[in-house]
Amino acid sequence: MADSTPSQPDPAPDEQAPDPKTSTGRKPRGWRRSLYIIIAILVVFVVYAFAFAKTDVSLEEIQSETRQEQLFRILRALARPDLIRYDKEDLIVTADVHVPCIGGEPATTDAATDGAAITIAPACAEPGDSFTVTGSGYDAGKTVGVNFVPVSDFEVVLPQGRTVVEEDGTFSLSFEAPSRKSDDPQQIEVISQTNVGGWLNRVRVWTDTNKNGVQDNDVLPSPDEPIATYSSLLPEFEIRSPGGVTLIDDNNNVIDFISWGGSFEASTGSGTGLVSRDIGFDPFGVGPDESVQLTGSGNTAADFSWTEPSQESFGSVNAGQTAANGDSPDSLFFNEVAFSEEDRLEVAGAPGAGVADVSLIFFDGTDGSQYKIILLADKTDLSPRLSDNAVNTWDRIVETVMLALLATTVGTALAIPLSFLAAKNLMRDVTVPIINLSLSLIAIPIGLYVGIQSSRWAASLRAFTDANWITLLLALLVITAVGWATLRWTFPPEEEDEPPSLGLRSLRVMALIAVAFLLLIGSYIIATLLIILGGWMEDLITGARFLGSFVVSLGEITEIGIPVFSSLIGAFALAVAASRLGYFINDRFSRGVINALTLVLSGVAGALVGIGIGAIIDWFYQLENPFATVIVPGAIGAVFGMILSVKALRKGESQNIGLTVYYLARTTFNGFRSIEPLVMVIIFVVWVGIGPFAGALALALHTMAALAKLYSEQVESIANGPLEAVRATGATRLQTIIYAVVPQIIPPYISFTMYRWDINVRMSTIIGFAGGGGIGFLLQQNINLLQYRAAAAQMLAIAIVVASMDYVSSRLREHVV
């Protein structure tokens, strides 16, 4: 019987039959894929296991009770930043006990002071037995300390423990009686501290800063006379003879320096190198109620004379002492001395002058070394008040923000022009004939030398005007007038009918060189005038001396920068002139002569570049081998330059120097960015010393490299339409950048600059760890000293400033960009 199932046609040659192992016709997941996944999981497991091993991950340390206790203590300290300072007042309650018991002693002993009461049970005990101290009437949450005060010829206190007062004002503490036996009663004292004053009722507290046992005022009195005196009783210490003492102000400057037993030169301390003024009489040999005093008429210490001992007048103007012309003294000076019965010094000055931060430094007259420093007066403060740590934190955080501001400003100023050199779209088509390039390379070192020598010559010619500011100002006016007249002649305001002759053009070039030299002299004069003006401002503006210091710094920066700019301008000017000479040669000489000159000049330029590289290597590594650092690099450079010129001449093409400059700039920026400011600041600390200046220099260098990269990438991403349109008009390269590039990059440049300032504020808190100033320096000190409450204040300040900077910068970007 025939099969009724219809036959199926054979599959086409390009079709494949479905896999019999699946019903969908798709390939099944192979075992290889599963194997790859397993291998990947094993690799990840091994990598993380290796990472755990390298990072010493140990959960045993986490579970350690000792470490947990230390961690909790630190966290609690960080939660209570040291910002407010309360002066403390001790509340001491004492009760008598006997060790050992003598006769019939009472079961307990009680005592009370200012509402706080204690009970001690028992009232006597044998050494090793237990005493229990209970108290009532104390402030809840306060910590009290219990001490045992034995009978002794010395001031001995044996701490027995501390406890916290309960919410009901009571506490209880037990301890063993120490092995201090005596037939006389001994004491147990309970000490607690209470805050003095409150923010609504601040109390003035006196501190015996100079430890003389007398409450001294912190200002001179204000009598009717133009001279006021301030008498200070010295604390107990041995005053040496021969010896001397200096008067030091709050800026650590020596105000006055007197001695007894002969003059001498100070060898240590702030007075190092200064010679004392001998008073001529022995202050140790004065009689009762006598002293050595200044007499005469004047306004400074040098105007008066020390006279032989006479009736003491501490606290008032000396007999025979008057102020010249009725004017008060400008500064403090020693006025009266006596070391017989009581050691006492008197200073004089203008009425109402402050003496709170004035110090006395005593010296040994035999070797000039200092041996004792004391404050002249006591301090009085309000309680509560901002703590010293809070004041220092505020000062450092302001320093940090200003440090970041200067670094951002300097870094941005350097990054903007350098960013155009690292923009590939601007540098790609910068080409120059090989002969022009060779001449420019030869001219650059010559221009550097000429610029430096010109600045030195200008500085030497400026010296004759250093007599006074009037001479300097007159010289500056004359230089300005002559320079302006010369420029007007060199560049006439009206176009000339005929092109100037070669001789006239040469005279105009020489005139421009003369104007440039006059500009150098004028720059030095301006720098000197700024220094003089800043000095006057420092003396006149007492409350804002930083303004005068800023003007002085501007003058010093100008004076230091003149040789640098002079050498750079000289190199640029000669390089441009040499390049134009190359175009002149190309227009006037035959191809054979040009090729020969190109070959020779390229060899010379290559040799100079090689010698320059060799000199840099020799400076770093001090090889002191002229053959290896001069001859060999020069020969290699000459050969390389000639090969480059032959290659360019064969192709008949100009040399593309734009990409070379581009890659050099990018490599330099990447090198500087790869070095963290924390490392840079170590170098600058060695150069300029520990402080914020070193930090500002390190941040400025890193800012320059980072912003130059960001700026250049923004230039590379601008639209090409405006660029091509401006170029089509025949604009120069500088005009193209001004009119086609700058309008497109202003918003992102502003955004990047603001963001960099934000970054610099955060980074400046870290570079302080390496001595770069700012709040990081203070934070490192407190952490190293385990003062976590003080460190918490700095951390809080950093967090507030960073958050504020982030908010302000974001708002500025919204409005400006």
Side-chain angles (χ1 to χ4, degrees):
M1 185 176 180
D3 189 357
S4 63
T5 303
S7 61
Q8 298 293 332
D10 295 334
D14 56 345
E15 294 181 357
Q16 293 183 357
D19 193 336
K21 298 182 180 180
T22 63
S23 60
T24 60
R26 291 178 299 179
K27 290 184 178 180
R29 292 187 177 182
W31 58 271
R32 294 181 180 177
R33 185 177 180 183
S34 301
L35 179 61
Y36 293 155
I37 294 175
I38 294 173
I39 293 175
I41 293 174
L42 290 175
V43 169
V44 172
F45 178 80
V46 172
V47 169
Y48 277 93
F50 184 72
F52 267 55
K54 283 297 181 182
T55 52
D56 294 332
V57 176
S58 175
L59 298 182
E60 294 181 0
E61 296 295 336
I62 295 178
Q63 299 173 357
S64 170
E65 293 184 1
T66 302
R67 292 191 178 275
Q68 288 180 359
E69 182 180 350
Q70 293 175 347
L71 174 63
F72 296 156
R73 178 174 57 84
I74 293 173
L75 292 177
R76 292 189 183 102
L78 294 177
R80 297 183 294 114
D82 180 15
L83 297 175
I84 305 300
R85 166 72 185 276
Y86 280 90
D87 284 287
K88 303 293 184 179
E89 186 176 52
D90 289 337
L91 175 62
I92 304 177
V93 183
T94 62
D96 292 340
V97 294
H98 282 87
V99 178
C101 292
I102 301 176
E105 295 290 343
T108 61
T109 180
D110 300 324
T113 301
D114 294 338
I118 62 172
T119 298
I120 303 174
C124 69
E126 300 295 325
D129 291 343
S130 178
F131 278 119
T132 299
V133 181
T134 57
S136 61
Y138 286 84
D139 293 336
K142 293 290 184 179
T143 300
V144 296
V146 178
N147 300 326
F148 184 87
V149 183
V151 174
S152 174
D153 294 334
F154 306 96
E155 294 183 0
V156 178
V157 175
L158 304 178
Q160 302 301 316
R162 300 172 66 84
T163 187
V164 179
V165 180
E166 301 292 340
E167 293 183 359
D168 59 356
T170 64
F171 71 88
S172 178
L173 179 69
S174 298
F175 62 93
E176 292 183 356
S179 298
R180 290 297 186 108
K181 296 181 179 182
S182 175
D183 294 336
D184 297 325
Q186 305 189 77
Q187 287 184 335
I188 292 179
E189 65 177 15
V190 177
I191 301 178
S192 64
Q193 290 186 325
T194 58
N195 294 334
V196 177
W199 286 109
L200 298 179
N201 181 28
R202 303 177 69 188
V203 177
R204 184 169 294 278
V205 178
W206 162 66
T207 302
D208 189 10
T209 311
N210 55 19
K211 301 185 184 305
N212 61 358
V214 178
Q215 183 171 351
D216 302 310
N217 293 324
D218 54 3
V219 296
L220 268 67
S222 299
D224 296 334
E225 293 85 0
I227 298 179
T229 63
Y230 183 93
S231 176
S232 177
L233 179 66
L234 300 180
E236 293 184 4
F237 70 97
E238 181 183 357
I239 301 177
R240 302 176 187 177
S241 183
V245 59
T246 56
L247 195 62
I248 308 295
D249 65 11
D250 55 349
N251 293 319
N252 207 33
N253 298 317
V254 176
I255 307 174
D256 197 7
F257 187 11
I258 63 171
S259 62
W260 45 90
S263 298
F264 62 89
E265 180 179 333
S267 60
T268 59
S270 56
T272 301
L274 297 180
V275 178
S276 65
R277 187 177 77 257
D278 186 45
I279 63 177
F281 302 94
D282 184 11
F284 293 92
V286 297
D289 300 327
E290 288 187 339
S291 64
V292 183
Q293 308 171 21
L294 283 179
T295 60
S297 177
N299 301 108
T300 65
D303 298 332
F304 301 102
S305 301
W306 291 95
T307 60
E308 61 183 12
S310 58
Q311 179 66 35
E312 62 90 6
S313 60
F314 289 109
S316 61
V317 179
N318 301 328
Q321 185 180 34
T322 58
N325 302 320
D327 297 330
S328 297
D330 294 331
S331 62
L332 301 174
F333 55 87
F334 290 111
N335 196 54
E336 190 171 355
V337 187
F339 298 150
S340 56
E341 295 182 346
E342 290 183 331
D343 298 332
R344 188 179 290 274
L345 282 172
E346 181 184 82
V347 298
V355 292
D357 297 317
V358 177
S359 303
L360 303 173
I361 301 182
F362 287 82
F363 289 83
D364 189 322
T366 57
D367 57 5
S369 62
Q370 70 177 40
Y371 64 90
K372 183 68 174 180
I373 302 176
I374 62 172
L375 287 174
L376 180 63
D378 297 329
K379 285 187 177 181
T380 56
D381 296 299
L382 290 175
S383 177
R385 60 186 178 275
L386 289 178
S387 65
D388 292 340
N389 182 68
V391 175
N392 292 334
T393 299
W394 167 256
D395 181 65
R396 290 290 185 168
I397 202 66
V398 172
E399 179 182 287
T400 298
V401 175
M402 295 299 102
L403 183 157
L405 175 64
L406 287 180
T408 305
T409 303
V410 175
T412 303
L414 295 174
I416 289 176
L418 293 176
S419 63
F420 298 113
L421 300 178
K424 196 171 187 178
N425 58 339
L426 297 182
M427 304 300 295
R428 184 187 297 114
D429 57 349
V430 178
T431 60
V432 65
I434 190 69
I435 188 172
N436 297 42
L437 177 61
S438 301
L439 287 170
S440 297
L441 290 175
I442 295 172
I444 287 176
I446 299 175
L448 291 173
Y449 177 78
V450 171
I452 293 175
Q453 292 301 320
S454 299
S455 65
R456 291 177 178 175
W457 191 20
S460 65
L461 291 179
R462 183 271 317 252
F464 76 92
T465 64
D466 284 348
N468 53 63
W469 67 272
I470 298 178
T471 308
L472 289 169
L473 192 58
L474 291 175
L476 182 62
L477 293 175
V478 171
I479 289 174
T480 303
V482 173
W484 177 253
T486 306
L487 288 176
R488 295 271 296 180
W489 175 77
T490 306
F491 301 102
E494 299 180 357
E495 295 185 0
E496 299 176 345
D497 297 333
E498 298 180 358
S501 62
L502 178 62
L504 182 58
R505 290 201 301 268
S506 301
L507 286 176
R508 288 178 175 175
V509 170
M510 295 176 63
L512 285 177
I513 295 175
V515 170
F517 187 71
L518 288 176
L519 180 62
L520 283 177
I521 299 177
S523 299
Y524 276 113
I525 293 176
I526 291 174
T528 305
L529 285 173
L530 287 174
I531 294 174
I532 294 175
L533 177 61
W536 286 350
M537 293 176 63
E538 287 181 339
D539 296 334
L540 293 176
I541 310 177
T542 306
R545 297 187 63 182
F546 66 91
L547 296 175
S549 300
F550 175 66
V551 176
V552 171
S553 298
L554 289 179
E556 294 173 346
I557 292 173
T558 302
E559 194 163 9
I560 294 174
I562 290 173
V564 178
F565 284 104
S566 176
S567 60
L568 293 177
I569 293 173
F572 177 77
L574 281 188
V576 172
S579 180
R580 295 197 174 192
L581 177 61
Y583 287 116
F584 177 81
I585 294 174
N586 276 319
D587 294 337
R588 299 300 178 91
F589 293 94
S590 64
R591 178 51 53 189
V593 174
I594 292 174
N595 291 346
L597 284 175
T598 300
L599 188 64
V600 174
L601 293 175
S602 299
V604 175
L608 288 176
V609 173
I611 292 173
I613 295 174
I616 294 174
I617 294 174
D618 182 56
W619 187 87
F620 276 105
Y621 298 100
Q622 298 181 340
L623 300 177
E624 298 182 357
N625 185 354
F627 179 79
T629 58
V630 178
I631 298 176
V632 173
I636 294 175
V639 172
F640 181 78
M642 295 174 71
I643 293 174
L644 187 65
S645 65
V646 170
K647 182 180 178 181
L649 291 173
R650 282 182 179 178
K651 294 183 178 182
E653 300 176 348
S654 296
Q655 184 65 31
N656 189 321
I657 63 171
L659 289 179
T660 302
V661 174
Y662 165 77
Y663 286 116
L664 284 176
R666 299 286 289 196
T667 302
T668 303
F669 297 154
N670 290 335
F672 281 122
R673 286 191 306 109
S674 64
I675 304 174
E676 285 296 321
L678 189 62
V679 178
M680 291 182 182
V681 75
I682 297 175
I683 299 174
F684 285 112
V685 162
V686 176
W687 186 20
V688 302
I690 294 176
F693 186 32
L697 291 176
L699 279 180
L701 188 59
H702 195 271
T703 298
M704 179 270 295
L707 286 183
K709 178 183 182 297
L710 294 175
Y711 290 165
S712 63
E713 291 177 350
Q714 188 61 41
V715 172
E716 291 177 348
S717 63
I718 62 174
N720 290 326
L723 201 64
E724 295 173 355
V726 173
R727 285 175 177 171
T729 63
T732 62
R733 184 167 299 277
L734 181 60
Q735 291 171 332
T736 301
I737 293 175
I738 293 175
Y739 294 106
V741 178
V742 172
Q744 299 187 64
I745 63 175
I746 289 178
Y749 270 37
I750 294 174
S751 177
F752 287 145
T753 303
M754 291 179 180
Y755 182 59
R756 186 64 200 188
W757 187 18
D758 185 294
I759 292 174
N760 283 343
V761 170
R762 285 176 282 160
M763 295 179 67
S764 59
T765 64
I766 301 301
I767 62 175
F769 280 73
I775 199 168
F777 187 72
L778 190 62
L779 178 62
Q780 181 202 30
Q781 284 184 330
N782 288 325
I783 291 176
N784 290 340
L785 295 174
L786 305 181
Q787 296 176 352
Y788 296 110
R789 288 194 61 200
Q794 281 94 61
M795 295 178 187
L796 179 62
I798 292 171
I800 293 174
V801 169
V802 170
S804 302
M805 286 294 302
D806 179 71
Y807 174 77
V808 172
S809 61
S810 63
R811 297 289 293 178
L812 288 176
R813 284 195 296 269
E814 290 177 2
H815 287 80
V816 178
V817 179

